[in-house]
Amino acid sequence: MMTRSSSRLHSFFKLKCNFITNSVTTPLSSSRLGLDFSPHSTSLPSLLHSTSFSNNGDRPLSRYQKLTSLDHAFNLFDEMILRTPLPSVVKFTQLLNAVAKLKHFSSCLHLFKQMCVIGVPVSEYSMNIAIRCCCQMSRTNDGFALLGCCFRRAVVPDVCTFNTLLDGLIREDRIVQAERLFKKLIKHKLCEPDVVMYSTMIKGLCKFGNNDIAIGLLRLMDERGCKPDIYAYNTIIDSLCKDKMIEDAFKLFNEMVFAKGIQPDVITYTSLIYGLCNLCRWDEVSKLLKEMEDLRISPSFQTFSILVDAFCKEGSVDEAEAVIDIMVERGEVPNIVTYNSLINGYCLQGEMSKAKTLLDSVMSRGLIPDVITYNSLLNGYCKSLKIEEAIHMFHEVTRKGLNPDMIFYNTMIQGLFSVGRCGDACQLFDEMQAQGQTPNEYTYGIILDGLCSNHQVEEALSLFHLVGDSKLKNNIVVYSILIDGAGKCGKLDIVRALFHELHVKGLQPDVRTYTAMIRGFCRVGLLREAKNLFLKMGERGCPPDNVSYCVLLHGYLKNQHFDDVEILLQQMGRRSYSLDASTLSLLKDRIAAGSLDRGLLKLIGMLVPKELMDSFTGREKKLNGECGL
DNA sequence: GTAGGGTTAG
């Protein structure tokens, strides 16, 4: 369903679409319209081509930087070592760097060793390149070993060397060692941290969710006379956006722009747009895109990818396709990530034939689907209960030699449970472990929920007690699943026992736990207990959400308890909550039966989208007609 | 005439 705001975003893009189409034929008129994203009057595609392969400004590329293949590099190296005298160490370093830039790290290390053998002196430059290769291959320990070797050859590490090693540690999630090294460098004055080193540490802290400490380090570097640059700010802004702390991100953004005078770039905007998309704050996304346009900051491939994904998740696949059209107009080539969003979008809507057609067309373009592509399709088939197609897809992936990951197994297991094939689901659960995939909390959640949904509450409980994992045993989500499952089977003794266990363990029930309890009480007609808990949850700092309201209301209606219906509907209206389909249908039944006053219709109208209300009242009129009312 | 840091999907 497209929201009002996202449709506004869509108009913005339509404008862009028109602009791009116009710009192809009449480039001058588009710039007169002031809609040109490009920083220069040159057309965007050619601009992209001219800037993406050159990183040294206007200087011509050296023959080393022009290297495009490993063979070429090896031939050049062979030719160089035959020359007398040997070319300078600088030439060798340039060659090494070119190979490293091609991401052929082990070959680069091989060449470095060859250089040592034939007697080319090691410089701090060549050493740093070699160390970087180790780090990029997640072999930071080898990087440290290399540092030791070079040290013995009297090559002294500098701030670049340590930055590379710090980055390697962070890449390997060894944040404690990174922090230790950073502190040691400062304490023993081994080198003065520069802006890159601070930014690297900030990146590490953000990676581990320590946004506050990262901001602290940003302040510290400033105090120590090292001005934070756009890299440092972008890293924290991005991390805050990923953690849904968008207000803090904007606070830092304002500080960067207005207090520090640092101009935001496409990465700053892309991070903010990502954060806003995640929170469905479309108006602000649109505002930022406009701001970028005013500042002549051209959206990047990633900016577009984020928008494509956001539209798909929102259910607006058409709009996502429109964004892809703009990308193509700009000369960008959408990759498998872009199409995965689109395929997932179709799968979420249950449009499996469209998803499959798109997959075929993607493959015919030479793009190779990955495990994520197949996960989306598997999920789509499972959610649309097309289990045979899902199983077929599962086998196809295995046959292709792609290793199904844990998510893939989880999805398939959930699909099997959803059609009642508990035996097959449990068998796959065993098979997954035999294939070396360790089940996580999600897997157990799926299994426990699956068993309960298929009236096997006791089996679920015994599995729960059998698994020795403390992460599982102290997981409120798992408890909520069990409580909900037992409640749906009407096993109130188990529901109460589990809820009591929470208290004993000191685990805090969340809104889902309370809602599961309320659903359980309602199911067996214990409305007073349901109402009491509904009132209590708010007092305990966990106010009922939209689902809690629907569950209690549903319980009241089902049990012919009409006294509190109106007051609940009023409260929902004040909170801008909405009714779900099944509760709405029950309300309709009770009104048609004369148990509830028709005057409630106005109130109900405020709790459902207009289209649904029209069909609701339409159906009611028809029903009344049929009943001769 | 050389080396180090940031953004995209279930």
Side-chain angles (χ1 to χ4, degrees), chain A residues 39 127 136 157 219 248 360 427 447 452 491 558 563 606:
Chain A
M127 171 184 73
Q136 294 276 341
R219 307 276 173 252
D248 293 310
D360 292 340
Q427 201 182 324
I447 303 263
C452 290
K491 310 230 176 201
K558 199 93 188 166
D563 300 354
M606 283 161 32

Side-chain angles (χ1 to χ4, degrees), chain A residues 122-128 131 146-162 165 185 189-191:
Chain A
V122 176
S123 71
E124 56 270 40
Y125 292 96
S126 60
M127 171 184 73
N128 287 345
I131 290 177
L146 202 55
L147 172 70
C149 291
C150 297
F151 205 69
R152 285 193 289 279
R153 290 176 178 235
V155 182
V156 182
D158 58 9
V159 67
C160 286
T161 322
F162 291 119
L165 287 163
L185 292 173
K189 295 196 168 37
L190 291 169
C191 73

Side-chain angles (χ1 to χ4, degrees), chain A residues 32 103 160 170 190 228 373 476 489 497 565 567 613 629:
Chain A
R32 228 178 284 141
K103 296 192 188 301
C160 286
I170 291 163
L190 291 169
T373 324
I476 189 64
C489 297
V565 169
I567 198 158
M613 197 58 199
L629 293 168

Side-chain angles (χ1 to χ4, degrees), chain A residues 48 300-302 304-306 308-309 320-343 358 361-369:
Chain A
L48 278 164
S300 66
F301 188 92
Q302 281 76 9
F304 285 116
S305 295
I306 289 166
V308 167
D309 194 58
E321 280 175 340
V323 178
I324 292 187
D325 288 343
I326 301 173
M327 291 174 81
V328 174
E329 292 281 357
R330 283 172 49 119
E332 312 251 24
V333 184
N335 63 9
I336 190 67
V337 177
T338 325
Y339 287 113
N340 274 349
S341 296
L342 217 53
I343 290 173
L358 181 58
S361 115
V362 165
M363 284 165 80
S364 71
R365 272 173 244 182
L367 290 171
I368 301 163

Side-chain angles (χ1 to χ4, degrees), chain A residues 1 161 402 514:
Chain A
M1 199 186 346
T161 322
L402 276 167
Y514 283 115

